Amino acid sequence: MKKKRVFLGSVATETNTFSSLRTDIKDFHESFYALPGKHPETPTLCSAIYPVARAKAKKYNWNLIEGTATWAEPGGVVNQKTWEKLRDQILSELHAAQPINIVLLGLHGAMVSQECQDCEGELLEEVRKIVGPTAIVGVTFDPHSHLTEKKVKNANLITVFKEFPHVDFVETAEDLIDLVHKTEKGKIQPIISTFDCRFIDLFPTNQEPMFSFVRKIKDIERDERILSVSIIHGFMAGDVPDLGTKIIVTTDNAKDEGDAWAKELGLELFSLRGQTRPNLISIEEAMKQVQNAKDGPIVIADVWDNPGGGVPGDSTILLKEIIKRKINNVALATIWDPMAVRTCISAGENSVLQLRFGAKMSQEGGNPIDATVKVCKIKEEAFQRFGDSIVPLGDSVWIKVAGVDVIINSVRSQVFHPIVFSSFGINPYKKDVLVVKSTNHFYDAFSEIASTILYVEIDGLYPSNPKTNGYRNLSRKIWPININPHESVSY
Ligand SMILES: [Zn+2]
């Protein structure tokens, strides 16, 4: 039987429209950039469709045509020329690959360029024009994304990471590819239903109530008419019309049933508003707990200075507090400062020098630290892991400042794994305190070694309060800006 022609593409980043950063092609090259046929065997967060499709191609009788796959660490608005270049690159690869039966795309869903508030919607619309109405278009999204009509209209199947931390990104690609295969075989007829929950918040799924909510949607998926259920958490740092939490239910040709489930789940999730955030504490409270602690390591997450949310990740506020209080046996990862890394590399391992580092990108990140530091270890092209994915940190150094071990990196990345310390020779088990810049993705790997995990809230560049963020593009009423956003909507 003739093989089906399947095209793969991935272009992804998450845009924080409030960030002091700007994103251009260099950021994509630095984080992850694989030309056709060059995708590694390991997945990246948004490109797990590549290794999964390769593994299933023979069984499914697919002829894979791989397009470019690229990812930039979340950052500020994407330069227009960069977006157009990446978009047109993938579209021209798709054009050249025609005729195509199936398109698989690994997208994030929250990319905003200077002239486009819905980059992935635009891409999907162009993809549909090229492949026509009968080709099957399947896409994976990150839940921290914006679900638009354009995205839904031009895709046949959408799957979204269910877990936050996103430990299920490979599973999400597997689900998509299995559903696409069944569709192609005529075994199912996917129809997408959506519901706008009209709110925005944080939804870590490693704790209640979201832990149970995710188990519930997985149970619903056991019904053979319900092909897939997803929650778009939304991304509060992206000021776009469709910002907010939404539900996607894909049924096997049962639109009414899908609509009813989407509404029911959406309103149930809305009823949990205000209860889903982690327990965020102040810096004073965290320091008090650290000083009274008996067991280590205590893991402190600097929740809002998370490069994975598009801010620079160079705030010095927490580090200064630790130094001021003379807290011993602490390691912190990471502070992004390519200039400081370069200076330390020039100075060499074991050298002691006067260094200015951190807080270069915004006044909200505090002030740079001026101190005498020791360069303990230099690592060129350092990396860490997130599940099977290898995440670059660029050239990086371990410095000691006022007794605190600090990792400074040159390629921005949030902290996922204790390897961020151990690869430099710091034993994370032996530290009393580990400070990580991450909202929740650190949780999976760090919970295995932590005695306690503290989520610390420090006001910074990240727009963490929707009520005061001053959105200009939001098109609907949403909680918590509006107390009852469903009031005037008829369902
Ligand atoms: Zn995410």
Side-chain angles (χ1 to χ4, degrees):
M1 208 167 66
K2 213 175 154 205
K3 284 187 174 181
K4 294 293 168 188
R5 292 175 60 79
V6 180
F7 178 84
L8 303 175
S10 176
V11 51
T13 190
E14 177 187 71
T15 303
N16 177 335
T17 60
F18 296 84
S19 179
S20 60
L21 298 163
R22 292 293 180 270
T23 302
D24 83 350
I25 195 75
K26 196 159 186 288
D27 297 289
F28 287 90
H29 285 167
E30 265 184 2
S31 287
F32 178 67
Y33 187 79
L35 287 169
K38 302 287 183 201
H39 194 289
E41 283 175 26
T42 50
T44 69
L45 185 68
C46 292
S47 70
I49 53 166
Y50 283 73
V52 172
R54 283 174 188 169
K56 299 200 180 212
K58 201 171 166 203
K59 187 169 125 199
Y60 288 172
N61 202 25
W62 284 359
N63 178 12
L64 297 187
I65 299 105
E66 295 187 1
T68 296
T70 185
W71 153 268
E73 180 72 5
V77 171
V78 179
N79 169 287
Q80 187 62 19
K81 274 191 193 150
T82 294
W83 163 236
E84 288 176 13
K85 182 180 162 40
L86 293 173
R87 179 196 66 195
D88 294 347
Q89 191 170 326
I90 287 190
L91 293 174
S92 69
E93 289 162 359
L94 175 61
H95 232 293
Q98 281 280 77
I100 283 293
N101 308 101
I102 293 169
V103 179
L104 298 172
L105 296 171
L107 306 177
H108 183 288
M111 193 194 300
V112 177
S113 72
Q114 286 164 318
E115 292 168 25
C116 182
Q117 292 182 322
D118 179 17
C119 292
E120 299 87 351
E122 187 176 275
L123 179 72
L124 280 161
E125 192 174 56
E126 293 303 317
V127 163
R128 182 57 79 192
K129 278 185 203 161
I130 293 171
V131 296
T134 55
I136 300 161
V137 177
V139 49
T140 58
F141 286 127
D142 184 295
H144 301 114
S145 53
H146 314 292
L147 191 68
T148 62
E149 211 186 304
K150 220 181 242 187
K151 288 181 178 117
V152 175
K153 204 176 120 192
N154 291 292
N156 299 88
L157 282 154
I158 296 171
T159 61
V160 181
F161 316 144
K162 287 185 172 64
E163 304 289 354
F164 174 39
H166 305 326
V167 290
D168 59 334
F169 61 95
V170 174
E171 215 178 304
T172 303
E174 284 169 348
D175 288 347
L176 177 79
I177 286 170
D178 290 345
L179 288 170
V180 163
H181 171 66
K182 282 185 191 160
T183 309
E184 185 271 312
K185 286 283 169 206
K187 290 179 184 162
I188 53 171
Q189 272 183 279
I191 305 276
I192 297 174
S193 295
T194 65
F195 184 79
D196 183 354
C197 306
R198 295 180 183 264
F199 76 131
I200 184 72
D201 213 334
L202 285 185
F203 303 94
T205 60
N206 53 294
Q207 61 172 53
E208 293 297 357
M210 289 309 293
F211 181 83
S212 293
F213 197 83
V214 170
R215 300 325 110 184
K216 178 174 176 165
I217 65 171
K218 285 185 168 180
D219 271 351
I220 294 168
E221 283 178 338
R222 287 178 196 202
D223 180 335
E224 61 179 24
R225 276 153 59 93
I226 313 291
L227 304 175
S228 170
V229 182
S230 297
I231 309 162
I232 296 287
H233 296 194
F235 183 55
M236 67 175 74
D239 182 6
V240 298
D242 279 281
L243 177 151
T245 307
K246 298 188 181 183
I247 300 284
I248 305 173
V249 176
T250 308
T251 56
D252 185 6
N253 198 19
K255 180 83 168 78
D256 290 347
E257 201 179 332
D259 288 350
W261 266 120
K263 182 183 168 189
E264 185 179 326
L265 290 169
L267 290 175
E268 184 182 335
L269 190 54
F270 181 75
S271 76
L272 300 174
R273 66 196 176 281
Q275 301 166 40
T276 59
R277 281 193 179 203
N279 179 28
L280 301 173
I281 60 172
S282 68
I283 205 165
E284 288 75 25
E285 175 59 30
M287 294 298 113
K288 209 160 72 187
Q289 290 201 33
V290 163
Q291 280 162 330
N292 294 332
K294 293 199 174 55
D295 290 323
I298 293 183
V299 174
I300 300 181
D302 190 348
V303 167
W304 300 127
D305 194 43
N306 166 22
V311 296
D314 69 350
S315 165
T316 56
I317 296 170
L318 191 47
L319 177 56
K320 276 193 172 168
E321 197 64 28
I322 286 163
I323 293 173
K324 194 177 95 188
R325 291 175 188 249
K326 296 192 170 61
I327 296 172
N328 292 319
N329 202 18
V330 180
L332 179 149
T334 63
I335 288 185
W336 178 61
D337 192 335
M339 283 163 75
V341 169
R342 191 170 155 175
T343 306
C344 290
I345 290 175
S346 301
E349 272 180 16
N350 296 318
S351 59
V352 175
L353 71 154
Q354 182 67 25
L355 184 71
R356 166 168 286 201
F357 68 96
K360 303 230 168 85
M361 282 304 296
S362 75
Q363 57 186 14
E364 290 86 352
N367 294 312
I369 291 180
D370 291 287
T372 302
V373 308
K374 182 180 177 192
V375 181
C376 299
K377 181 85 184 168
I378 293 169
K379 267 190 96 72
E380 286 179 12
E381 298 188 21
F383 67 89
Q384 56 175 332
R385 286 187 172 277
F386 183 48
D388 294 335
S389 172
I390 294 166
V391 183
L393 297 164
D395 294 348
S396 304
V397 294
W398 161 23
I399 62 164
K400 215 174 232 314
V401 53
V404 181
D405 295 307
V406 178
I407 306 296
I408 307 185
N409 58 335
S410 56
V411 171
R412 291 171 49 256
S413 170
Q414 71 175 299
V415 169
F416 292 104
H417 195 283
I419 199 175
V420 81
F421 297 111
S422 58
S423 65
F424 285 84
I426 300 169
N427 184 346
Y429 288 91
K430 292 200 168 161
K431 288 287 159 191
D432 291 335
V433 181
L434 299 168
V435 182
V436 297
K437 301 216 175 200
S438 173
T439 305
N440 205 37
H441 284 328
F442 72 94
Y443 183 88
D444 199 50
F446 277 88
S447 62
E448 291 182 13
I449 66 165
S451 64
T452 312
I453 292 178
L454 304 176
Y455 292 85
V456 175
E457 180 167 46
I458 300 166
D459 273 345
L461 188 61
Y462 192 89
S464 60
N465 182 355
K467 273 197 218 172
T468 54
N469 288 346
Y471 297 119
R472 287 184 299 167
N473 297 308
L474 196 56
S475 60
R476 304 109 57 231
K477 288 185 174 175
I478 63 167
W479 182 93
I481 301 165
N482 304 95
I483 295 301
N484 191 355
H486 291 279
E487 199 172 36
S488 52
V489 190
S490 54
Y491 295 114

